[in-house]
């Protein structure tokens, strides 16, 4: 089925009460499903980007709290919650810049609050996490439909990183817009920037699009501006990891595309669920995760940076609202300036 | 010695009448010197980028004609020249967008014209090629001194690809400016963009700078704009493969940096010898070399693009003069608009 990975990017296995997910670090060479039975293993998976993508991280956080609840052996309610809190803190610390992760965790924690027994806590946690996963797909389809209306009948879309079904439970955000537009009969081609250092564009976006028989061409990140100048790009659509009042945080390289799109008069869209919005913070409040040197300095077995040479590896950059034509959400297309306080964002207050 | 590779990037071995060069595809993991005894092997080396960089290609072209002359067994002058012409055409076809290659070839061919004997042809070819190699280093030092005056006392320079000693016989063009400025006592740091797909920035620029104890940090190409926004870049300096009346052709990604530098009000400089100028053509006349899919789709033994997915791989892009603050040459700093016809460019008319 189009835009749906079978098995799913991430899912709750009810028969054995564990999380099953696609190990995205091994794509496209190997398609491998991991059965994850502990919160520690899940934390490692998130840190290693076996699971990645803002909406998928929201679901992973939710399933993580459910897994913590199901596997916790404490019978005393206070001791039980103390364990769950520790597991939640561990999970939230794995990708601090990505807001959906802590959003998913907090939403399940909040739902558990009213439970009177440990057993009820477990049931509520699993049910709330499953609800979040179901809502994610519906949300992506709504984003897709909102965004599809923005695209002309024939259109080449440039995207960066992976904001597709592998970044969500299904369908995708930026790629959800592409899928919905194709579903409406539009002729859409995708240019996928490879997205150094971890190549989510060439490894993941290309993998899921070619599987759906969607026309996709991979380029290095540095080719995008050249193609814009040649008139080969009509629109840019990317996802988001956190949207503050004044800026969009997304995979490193997003800002460069936004600057180049503006220079060429090409519309630059962000597709993201409202769970990615962070109305409480401005750009300056957010610390960008700096990841390991080896992600840039090696590629497989190859050493590509000489020993002793310094490397920078910020995982994200921030794009000011002034460069963004619109943010495509499940509640429609929002054009900056956006009144975030006025949006009906489901945000638990824990 | 600073900026000088021992043995040199490319040199003529007089004792055995062959070309010796550093195989740049193996850096930084292996430092390997190739003894090249045939024009076919040299053509392969240029095609595979064992030798690369505009000024080094000029010298390679010159040495290539010398090698053709020395190894040609024809005694008849006409037959001899027919062989040399065939070798020259083969060499010139290996990297069509890079102008210095054909410039070096033509300069040696022109010098040989007056020779009365095959033996004299050989002597002239070797001598002219050695002169070109010697001039290249002097030229780079003059470029370095011209450009160094443009840099403030403390300065972080962003560069792309490798326009250093490995791209020339020694010193470098863009990195020649850095070396000359450091030689003048200035405090210069370099941000080296890795330069996908073939990573000349991380593999070569970082290698030669760290060897000279020059402060260098490697970033992915997609991080440059983010660092510009953070105020971490003062100046951009790149090399060039061909400078037409209206645009600079250089490694893919250069144009993106030029657009982003303009957006942030950062001066964007090109450092290149006059042998890179092509007064006879405009941007639209030049065909950009499209290289093999595997350069983007694989990295060492890893497959990073799924089978069946299309890939683009233009080796160069073009940056219009309007985005360039100045071109730094051995004859001083030229600010656009540049009257190329008025420049005293040594260009054989063959």
């Amino acid at each position: 089925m189009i835009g749906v990975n079978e098995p799913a990017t991430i899912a709750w296995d009810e028969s054995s009460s564990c999380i099953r997910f696609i190990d995205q670090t091994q794509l496209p060479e190997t398609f491998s499903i991991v059965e994850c039975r502990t919160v520690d293993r899940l934390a490692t998976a998130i840190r290693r980007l076996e699971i990645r993508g803002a909406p998928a991280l929201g679901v992973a956080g939710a399933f993580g709290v459910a897994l913590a609840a199901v596997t916790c052996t404490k019978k005393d309610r206070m001791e039980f919650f103390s364990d769950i809190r520790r597991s939640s803190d561990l999970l939230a610390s794995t990708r601090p810049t990505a807001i959906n992760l802590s959003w998913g965790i907090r939403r399940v924690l909040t739902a558990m609050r009213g439970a009177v027994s440990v057993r009820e806590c477990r049931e509520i946690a699993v049910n709330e996490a499953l609800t979040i996963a179901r809502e994610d797909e519906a949300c992506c389809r709504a984003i897709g439909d909102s965004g599809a209306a923005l695209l002309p009948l024939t259109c080449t879309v440039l995207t960066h990183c992976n904001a597709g079904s592998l970044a969500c439970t299904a369908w995708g955000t930026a790629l959800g817009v592409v899928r919905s537009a194709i579903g409406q009969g539009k002729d859409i081609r995708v240019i996928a920037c490879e997205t150094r250092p971890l190549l989510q564009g060439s490894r993941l976006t290309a993998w899921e699009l070619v599987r759906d028989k969607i026309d996709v061409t991979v380029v290095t990140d540095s080719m995008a501006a050249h193609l814009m100048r040649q008139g080969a790009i009509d629109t840019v659509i990317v996802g988001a990891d956190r949207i503050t009042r004044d800026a969009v945080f997304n995979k490193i390289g997003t800002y460069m595309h936004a600057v180049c799109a503006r220079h060429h008069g090409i519309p630059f869209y962000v597709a993201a669920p409202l769970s990615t919005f962070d109305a409480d913070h401005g750009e300056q409040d957010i610390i960008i995760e700096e990841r390991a040197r080896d992600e840039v300095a090696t590629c497989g077995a190859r050493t590509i940076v000489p020993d002793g040479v310094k490397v920078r590896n910020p995982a994200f950059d921030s794009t000011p609202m002034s460069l963004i034509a619109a943010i495509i959400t499940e509640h429609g297309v929002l054009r900056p300036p956006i009144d975030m306080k006025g949006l009906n964002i489901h945000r638990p207050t824990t």
Side-chain angles (χ1 to χ4, degrees), chain A:
Chain A
M1 198 192 329
I2 193 170
V4 177
N5 298 307
E6 296 292 357
T9 305
I10 180 164
W12 182 255
D13 183 334
E14 299 212 47
S15 64
S16 59
S17 293
C18 71
I19 302 168
R20 293 167 65 91
F21 61 82
I22 300 172
D23 178 356
Q24 300 190 30
T25 63
Q26 296 195 48
L27 288 173
E29 294 178 301
T30 307
F31 183 90
S32 160
I33 303 292
V34 177
E35 288 192 2
C36 173
R37 298 180 182 281
T38 68
V39 170
D40 279 348
R41 177 69 186 84
L42 182 63
T44 300
I46 297 172
R47 217 178 279 116
R48 290 190 63 236
L49 311 193
E50 294 171 58
I51 308 164
R52 33 65 52 203
L57 287 175
V59 175
F63 282 155
V65 179
L67 187 65
V70 165
T71 55
C72 178
T73 55
K74 297 282 161 53
K75 297 202 163 37
D76 175 74
R77 194 174 174 280
M78 288 288 279
E79 288 181 20
F80 175 87
F81 266 107
S82 168
D83 272 17
I84 302 301
R85 172 64 69 183
R86 203 163 31 241
S87 294
S88 300
D89 290 348
L90 169 67
L91 290 172
S93 71
T94 52
R95 301 292 312 274
T97 314
I99 191 173
N100 300 63
L101 177 61
S102 54
W103 171 88
I105 292 167
R106 282 207 313 268
R107 196 168 139 185
V108 177
L109 288 177
T110 305
M112 289 163 77
R113 266 195 205 150
V116 291
S117 68
V118 164
R119 185 178 161 175
E120 196 189 348
C121 278
R122 292 197 182 108
E123 283 176 14
I124 289 175
V126 171
N127 286 335
E128 185 70 6
L130 287 169
T131 302
I132 289 174
R134 269 193 307 274
E135 285 176 6
D136 179 65
E137 182 172 349
C139 181
C140 283
R141 287 184 183 265
I143 289 170
D145 292 345
S146 293
L150 296 169
L151 302 187
L153 286 175
T154 299
C155 180
T156 300
V157 174
L158 181 109
T159 190
H160 191 71
C161 197
N162 173 267
S165 63
L166 286 168
C168 310
T169 51
W171 204 247
T173 52
L175 299 189
V177 174
V178 168
R179 289 192 168 95
S180 292
I182 290 171
Q184 292 173 6
K186 293 182 176 177
D187 180 18
I188 313 290
R189 279 152 228 261
V190 176
I191 305 281
C193 292
E194 62 173 6
T195 315
R196 281 281 295 155
L198 293 177
L199 302 164
Q200 293 93 335
S202 52
R203 293 192 303 106
L204 308 180
T205 293
W207 181 84
E208 64 165 87
L209 291 182
V210 82
R211 228 159 148 254
D212 277 354
K213 301 191 178 15
I214 295 172
D215 189 300
V216 57
T217 302
V218 169
V219 300
T220 66
D221 306 327
S222 59
M223 291 173 194
H226 171 64
L227 295 176
M228 289 180 189
R229 182 151 197 261
Q230 293 192 323
I233 311 288
D234 300 304
T235 299
V236 182
I237 314 179
V238 297
D241 291 274
R242 183 186 290 253
I243 302 174
T244 60
R245 294 184 298 264
D246 48 359
V248 170
F249 288 77
N250 192 46
K251 182 57 55 200
I252 187 75
T254 300
Y255 173 62
M256 158 188 88
H257 295 311
V259 168
C260 293
R262 168 61 51 92
H263 184 81
H264 295 90
I266 296 169
F268 184 90
Y269 298 116
V270 174
L274 292 184
S275 54
T276 310
F277 282 67
D278 177 6
D280 299 332
H281 294 104
E283 182 184 359
Q284 296 306 322
D285 303 325
I286 307 303
I287 294 168
I288 291 178
E289 176 190 354
E290 185 92 17
R291 293 183 58 86
R293 178 184 190 277
D294 271 2
E295 290 184 352
V296 174
T298 64
C299 186
R302 263 185 98 192
T303 297
I304 56 182
V305 176
D307 292 341
V309 171
K310 290 178 285 186
V311 163
R312 284 291 313 274
N313 188 14
F316 306 102
D317 60 27
S318 56
T319 300
M321 287 292 173
S322 58
L323 292 177
I324 294 166
I327 300 179
I328 304 164
T329 76
E330 70 273 31
H331 287 212
V333 173
L334 310 177
R335 294 195 185 264
I338 297 167
D339 171 23
M340 283 203 191
K341 296 286 186 191
L343 291 172
N344 179 26
I345 302 177
H346 184 313
R347 189 165 306 286
T349 53
T350 176

